[in-house]
Amino acid sequence: MTAPNSPRPSQQESSPSVQSNTDLTAKDSPKNLAAVYVKGMAMGAADIVPGVSGGTIALIAGIYERLVNAISSIGPSLWTVYRQQGGIKGLLAIWRHVDATFLLALLLGIVTSFATLAGIIKHLLDNQPLLIWSFFFGLVVATVVLLLSEIKRWNVARAGLFIFGIVSAVGISSMPLVTTEPSLPYIFFAGAIAICAMILPGISGSFILLLLGVYDKALEAVHNFNLTVIVTLMAGMVTGLLLFTRALKWLLSRYYQGTLALLTGFIAGSLVKVWPWKVDALGTLNSEAIHNVAPWNYPAGAQWLVTLGLMVLGAVLVTALSIWGKKTKSVID
């Protein structure tokens, strides 16, 4: 995964090669941008599901570090970049500095998914939860296996970070849901927290919105095109994103292998949330089914053929995405 314009990592950590944002932008051909757009759609589709992180897709697709570095380059320093040349040239310098062509293509893909898939995925979650959770369970398991293979040297610290990531994700997934009607300031706050989770592989931003009682409100706003709620939520997300990505960029550039172990732990811990066989507090199936049970205790039966088939499909697709991500990443290496 290429980390554009990031500081040089320490000698103890292995990290992808470093290139400038200018070089990356120059190599954004229409074909490459189309690939980024498709990966953005995959990220958006994952972020719609409470329990699956778009950051997981970005990491496995080979664009995670470029995304983090591009976002973290947005800040007060852009004024200095502009002043060096001024006018149109200054604006173009800012565009290159933040890797804006890449970000725009990715954002368009994410927005496309939200606009076209939000209703479909919500329908499946409400009416065919076993099927959609089985698919994402297989996807997440394959992601964990693939990322574990990327950690070259295990030691006590990295193993500890991996375990800490698992425990943190399980703890977040077990928190009780907030059910109060959210106000606009609360929606802003929820957006800021959720986007931090959304960029972290394994911790679902949409699940954080669900925990905070804003998820249904956000889906309703998108469906009904409620600009007040949408703009408030987006403003919170932008605020949280700009503050959080700087810390994440610092960790990735200096402690890449340790950070990868932590992020992989987050993803592994999210398996608790995406476990397919769920019931409600009374042991029955409805929209409140959030308690995991053994497959043989599932009221509708384990349905092994369908569930395992969808798990395999999810694993195959994420493996294909990983292979494709490495091939497309090599274009800008």
Side-chain angles (χ1 to χ4, degrees):
M1 290 167 284
T2 304
N5 203 27
S6 60
R8 183 178 296 276
S10 65
Q11 293 182 352
Q12 287 76 25
E13 295 288 350
S14 61
S15 179
S17 59
V18 178
Q19 290 192 3
S20 70
N21 285 343
T22 302
D23 291 339
L24 289 171
T25 303
K27 294 184 179 181
D28 279 333
S29 66
K31 180 180 178 181
N32 296 338
L33 291 177
V36 172
Y37 174 81
V38 173
K39 292 174 183 180
M41 288 191 65
M43 286 180 62
D47 276 324
I48 294 171
V49 181
V52 184
S53 169
T56 300
I57 301 299
L59 188 59
I60 205 68
I63 59 172
Y64 187 71
E65 286 178 76
R66 185 175 180 184
L67 174 61
V68 169
N69 282 282
I71 295 173
S72 64
S73 67
I74 301 173
S77 63
L78 293 181
W79 175 243
T80 302
V81 174
Y82 174 78
R83 289 184 61 188
Q84 289 176 353
Q85 300 186 56
I88 299 299
K89 290 184 177 180
L91 294 176
L92 291 175
I94 289 176
W95 184 272
R96 292 189 297 268
H97 183 77
V98 302
D99 204 4
T101 303
F102 163 78
L103 287 178
L104 180 60
L106 192 69
L107 180 61
L108 287 174
I110 294 173
V111 170
T112 300
S113 268
F114 273 80
T116 60
L117 299 179
I120 296 173
I121 291 179
K122 184 67 165 59
H123 174 79
L124 290 174
L125 285 170
D126 291 339
N127 297 281
Q128 298 292 342
L130 181 62
L131 303 186
I132 196 167
W133 287 125
S134 295
F135 172 78
F136 279 106
F137 187 83
L139 183 150
V140 173
V141 169
T143 298
V144 172
V145 173
L146 289 168
L147 293 180
L148 286 176
S149 68
E150 295 290 327
I151 301 175
K152 306 304 180 185
R153 298 184 304 276
W154 283 97
N155 54 34
V156 174
R158 290 170 189 168
L161 287 169
F162 177 68
I163 294 172
F164 176 78
I166 293 176
V167 172
S168 298
V170 171
I172 291 173
S173 299
S174 304
M175 292 174 63
L177 305 180
V178 175
T179 57
T180 57
E181 179 67 20
S183 63
L184 288 180
Y186 185 80
I187 290 173
F188 179 91
F189 168 78
I193 299 299
I195 197 64
C196 295
M198 196 173 292
I199 202 68
L200 278 177
I203 299 183
S204 166
S206 54
F207 180 62
I208 295 298
L209 290 178
L210 189 64
L211 284 177
L212 297 176
V214 179
Y215 180 73
D216 288 336
K217 186 78 171 180
L219 278 184
E220 179 184 345
V222 173
H223 181 71
N224 297 326
F225 203 62
N226 185 332
L227 283 177
T228 302
V229 173
I230 292 174
V231 170
T232 301
L233 186 65
M234 292 298 294
M237 287 182 170
V238 169
T239 302
L241 193 61
L242 295 180
L243 294 175
F244 177 72
T245 50
R246 283 172 171 76
L248 191 54
K249 175 182 177 179
W250 185 86
L251 289 171
L252 285 169
S253 62
R254 286 167 174 79
Y255 307 103
Y256 178 77
Q257 290 282 304
T259 305
L260 183 61
L262 176 65
L263 298 180
T264 306
F266 285 144
I267 298 172
S270 72
L271 287 169
V272 173
K273 177 58 184 172
V274 297
W275 179 255
W277 296 278
K278 302 175 185 295
V279 298
D280 63 9
L282 299 177
T284 59
L285 305 176
N286 60 24
S287 59
E288 304 299 324
I290 59 174
H291 302 286
N292 296 338
V293 296
W296 45 87
N297 291 330
Y298 192 67
Q303 302 181 40
W304 290 114
L305 183 61
V306 176
T307 54
L308 292 180
L310 287 169
M311 288 180 191
V312 171
L313 177 61
V316 169
L317 288 179
V318 81
T319 302
L321 180 62
S322 176
I323 295 171
W324 181 49
K326 289 179 180 178
K327 288 182 178 180
T328 54
K329 175 179 74 75
S330 65
V331 174
I332 58 173
D333 281 346

